[in-house]
Amino acid sequence: MKKVRLRYAPSPTGFLHIGNTRTALMNYLFAKHYEGDFIVRIEDTDFERNVDGAIESQFENMDWLGIFPDESFLKPIEKYGEYMQSKKLDKYLNIADLLIEKDLAYKCYCTKEELEESRQKQLDNNIQAPRYDRHCWINREKLKDCKKEYNIRFKVPDNKEYIVNDLIRGEIKFNSKEIGDFVIVKSNKIATYNFAVVIDDIDMQITHVLRGEEHISNTPKQLMIYEALNEKEPVFGHMTLIVDETKKKLSKRSGNELFFITEYRKKGYLPEALFNFISLLGWSPKEEKEIFSKEDLVKIFDDKRFSKSPSTFDIGKLKWINSQWMKKMDDQKYVNFVKKFIDVKKYDYLTKDSEWLNEILLLYKKELDYGIQINDHLDLFFGDNQLKQFDVLKNIDNWKEVVNEFKNMLVAIEDFTSENIKTTITEVGKKLSIKGMSLFMPIRIASTNYEHGPELAKVINLIGKEKTIKNIESLLGNN
Ligand code: GLU
């Protein structure tokens, strides 16, 4: 079997975000599943829209996620040509000139105003989708020696059916009647996307093109160019939209989700978790489970299992997947990871005993969805407690008695260990004949100023005896 070759072809008009990551990741999985090549090509011919730093962002974040290209402009293979379109402008122009020679394309001298006038006329005549009226093709003899600036237009074959056998959507038919002669090289001599993309995919021997559904309408134009160049087209697959909770296409403006990969990195999401989560956007495995490593995904990837309906970006699911990946981390690795997210302006952790700090961090290993959330728990250990109101206490009649008893026993503990604290709590329960929530809740609130948290005896141990007693006294003093 021929080696599969897939590519991710970002335009450097922005940074790596959830949408284009999904495209990169699926092309990567497809290529790796079939032991093929994954290529990154930069489509940078729309100079005005290029953004500084976009290419770096694409590569840096893909690298972080573990989406490693086999080839790119950083790792080129000569026979496949340049990996950046801005370096191929002459080539595109030469091929367009060849198409002109064969009457498959032509020079168009129409100005913007003339095009607009023709469009308006068609609209006035009730033509719903106006197209270029072929003025410059019809008058090509007369215009032969014209010295004005020109675009090069592709001459769309008349009334011909083009069929895309889409890997995801099945057969999609287009009639060329619906498509006007489109520009392949602009007057500034720069090729347009639909033209350059085909030449590159041919040069790079791309076998499969997996991309977003916004490119479906471009596909018949690209098929025409393959035909004009006498080349076979790759297999196309158009993935469905990723939508937000309002069912709109996920974007920078989507309410509850972050959009750019760097934002997730800053919050303390793990690359394994994002990789795992994004692989399930518009694709699903046979198995019911949801936690998969990159290696698992490469193995189980199946190009027949893309979804035909839009996939909703569920931030709750991402948080859950991330928490699962955090739990799987080895303790030392987790501690090193989460430490990086401590707000150093607020918590000067470097001056503290590191064993103590590591234990605190480990205590929350099972509680966090992502790294930066650690800061929600540190006041308890680092600062002075801000007393809060706890309505639950109103429903526990003798909570003060419980707390007082606990305090008295706590004072008497000589060896302040989690074990001894645990025994003390049990003894309070026995003495007052209570258990469960009526026992634990007052003690937890009074000692930690939180209603919930990890194992109580361990938290109290790490807060320390003196501070715990201070916390208890300040709650009692205020009630
Ligand atoms: N440069 C195009 C984009 O960013 C890629 C389209 C394609 O994959 O053909 O949308």
Side-chain angles (χ1 to χ4, degrees):
M1 207 173 84
K2 200 173 137 196
K3 200 175 191 193
V4 303
R5 289 178 53 81
L6 289 95
R7 60 17 172 223
Y8 165 56
S11 302
T13 53
F15 303 135
L16 192 70
H17 56 68
I18 296 288
N20 49 24
T21 304
R22 197 261 308 247
T23 305
L25 191 148
M26 294 302 179
N27 279 284
Y28 174 83
L29 285 180
F30 196 131
K32 295 297 121 192
H33 178 74
Y34 290 108
E35 291 171 10
D37 299 324
F38 172 65
I39 295 127
V40 175
R41 175 174 79 223
I42 304 295
E43 303 205 325
D44 58 345
T45 54
D46 200 349
F47 294 122
E48 284 107 58
R49 294 186 55 225
N50 291 348
V51 168
D52 280 348
I55 296 179
E56 290 78 1
S57 158
Q58 297 277 342
F59 278 90
E60 205 209 321
N61 287 300
M62 270 195 290
D63 192 63
W64 179 73
L65 285 162
I67 306 175
F68 304 125
D70 297 300
E71 297 163 31
S72 71
F73 75 94
L74 300 168
K75 268 170 98 181
I77 293 183
E78 208 180 325
K79 68 172 176 180
Y80 295 121
E82 296 286 349
Y83 290 76
M84 208 179 269
Q85 290 188 330
S86 53
K87 299 218 166 131
K88 293 179 77 168
L89 299 180
D90 288 345
K91 174 158 195 181
Y92 305 137
L93 193 58
N94 289 340
I95 296 178
D97 284 338
L98 285 176
L99 293 181
I100 296 178
E101 274 172 34
K102 292 184 183 164
D103 276 348
L104 295 168
Y106 59 94
K107 296 177 184 175
C108 171
Y109 302 92
C110 294
T111 61
K112 265 200 190 108
E113 294 71 28
E114 285 161 343
L115 292 172
E116 182 48 33
E117 200 180 307
S118 147
R119 206 179 82 89
Q120 201 51 55
K121 242 192 229 153
Q122 296 181 53
L123 286 174
D124 293 345
N125 288 329
N126 273 332
I127 296 173
Q128 306 269 318
R131 276 177 287 147
Y132 179 57
D133 59 12
R134 286 204 162 153
H135 171 270
C136 292
W137 169 253
I138 298 163
N139 296 291
R140 62 192 179 284
E141 280 306 314
K142 277 190 240 152
L143 289 166
K144 230 157 90 192
D145 300 316
C146 181
K147 292 278 172 293
K148 281 187 353 192
E149 279 197 333
Y150 60 88
N151 291 315
I152 302 176
R153 281 186 191 271
F154 184 74
K155 191 168 159 286
V156 169
D158 291 325
N159 200 12
K160 189 166 174 185
E161 191 168 66
Y162 286 88
I163 300 177
V164 185
N165 281 309
D166 195 283
L167 190 72
I168 300 167
R169 290 146 194 269
E171 206 175 80
I172 315 174
K173 289 183 184 160
F174 297 89
N175 194 296
S176 64
K177 277 197 300 214
E178 291 147 26
I179 298 165
D181 292 350
F182 54 94
V183 174
I184 53 174
V185 177
K186 291 184 282 186
S187 58
N188 59 8
K189 307 278 180 234
I190 297 176
T192 58
Y193 156 70
N194 275 314
F195 190 51
V197 76
V198 171
I199 294 170
D200 290 352
D201 284 341
I202 295 169
D203 285 352
M204 294 181 169
Q205 297 176 28
I206 298 301
T207 58
H208 297 75
V209 170
L210 261 187
R211 58 188 175 193
E213 69 175 20
E214 66 275 16
H215 287 293
I216 290 184
S217 58
N218 287 322
T219 312
K221 293 181 185 169
Q222 294 173 15
L223 288 181
M224 290 171 196
I225 294 173
Y226 279 102
E227 184 179 54
L229 297 175
N230 221 350
E231 293 278 353
K232 195 173 157 7
E233 76 272 14
V235 175
F236 289 100
H238 290 94
M239 293 177 282
T240 53
L241 281 185
I242 304 171
V243 295
D244 62 21
E245 72 280 10
T246 66
K247 302 283 167 234
K248 285 210 196 74
K249 183 176 172 179
L250 190 75
S251 76
K252 284 196 269 233
R253 287 168 289 280
S254 292
N256 296 323
E257 300 86 0
L258 306 175
F259 192 52
F260 295 103
I261 299 301
T262 39
E263 298 177 302
Y264 289 95
R265 279 175 80 169
K266 277 194 209 134
K267 285 217 156 191
Y269 282 86
L270 291 164
E272 294 86 349
L274 267 175
F275 194 109
N276 184 166
F277 171 75
I278 294 173
S279 76
L280 303 175
L281 290 173
W283 181 85
S284 61
K286 270 201 203 81
E287 292 144 84
E288 289 282 308
K289 52 180 248 209
E290 302 209 86
I291 302 298
F292 297 100
S293 68
K294 178 171 109 173
E295 291 68 31
D296 295 336
L297 289 161
V298 167
K299 216 179 281 161
I300 63 172
F301 178 81
D302 179 346
D303 47 276
K304 308 272 179 307
R305 295 193 60 85
F306 281 102
S307 155
K308 289 187 177 52
S309 44
S311 50
T312 305
F313 187 96
D314 176 354
I315 188 75
K317 181 168 168 185
L318 172 55
K319 284 183 189 165
W320 178 79
I321 290 181
N322 202 66
S323 71
Q324 299 303 308
W325 277 96
M326 285 183 70
K327 281 184 201 143
K328 274 159 77 105
M329 279 173 121
D330 143 82
D331 282 355
Q332 192 53 49
K333 215 172 146 200
Y334 158 85
V335 164
N336 295 341
F337 169 73
V338 96
K339 232 180 228 177
K340 290 189 290 212
F341 295 94
I342 297 180
D343 179 355
V344 286
K345 283 199 218 89
K346 213 166 149 205
Y347 307 109
D348 183 8
Y349 72 86
L350 293 173
T351 63
K352 307 283 177 186
D353 172 55
S354 66
E355 233 355 272
W356 172 72
L357 177 68
N358 292 356
E359 277 186 52
I360 293 174
L361 300 181
L362 276 171
L363 199 57
Y364 289 92
K365 188 175 173 190
K366 294 202 179 102
E367 310 279 317
L368 304 183
D369 289 332
Y370 47 88
I372 209 167
Q373 283 179 336
I374 191 65
N375 295 295
D376 300 344
H377 304 285
L378 295 181
D379 274 350
L380 179 57
F381 304 95
F382 282 80
D384 282 327
N385 269 355
Q386 294 285 320
L387 262 189
K388 294 177 253 171
Q389 280 296 327
F390 291 98
D391 289 342
V392 279
L393 291 180
K394 290 189 191 134
N395 302 324
I396 304 174
D397 296 336
N398 58 343
W399 72 264
K400 280 188 191 164
E401 200 185 336
V402 176
V403 169
N404 258 318
E405 193 57 51
F406 178 63
K407 193 189 101 182
N408 293 337
M409 288 195 190
L410 204 66
V411 174
I413 299 181
E414 268 171 25
D415 188 10
F416 201 69
T417 61
S418 301
E419 247 342 280
N420 290 342
I421 297 166
K422 209 166 154 183
T423 317
T424 306
I425 299 174
T426 318
E427 277 169 18
V428 174
K430 273 195 202 138
K431 187 159 178 201
L432 302 178
S433 298
I434 49 164
K435 50 185 175 188
M437 149 127 161
S438 309
L439 172 66
F440 284 93
M441 193 56 97
I443 296 179
R444 184 183 285 282
I445 288 179
S447 315
T448 73
N449 210 14
Y450 282 85
E451 267 178 53
H452 307 283
E455 205 186 314
L456 184 54
K458 281 195 184 161
V459 182
I460 292 175
N461 181 232
L462 287 166
I463 296 174
K465 186 169 172 178
E466 212 180 305
K467 197 163 175 226
T468 306
I469 293 171
K470 224 169 106 196
N471 288 346
I472 296 176
E473 283 170 349
S474 73
L475 184 79
L476 286 172
N478 269 280
N479 280 279

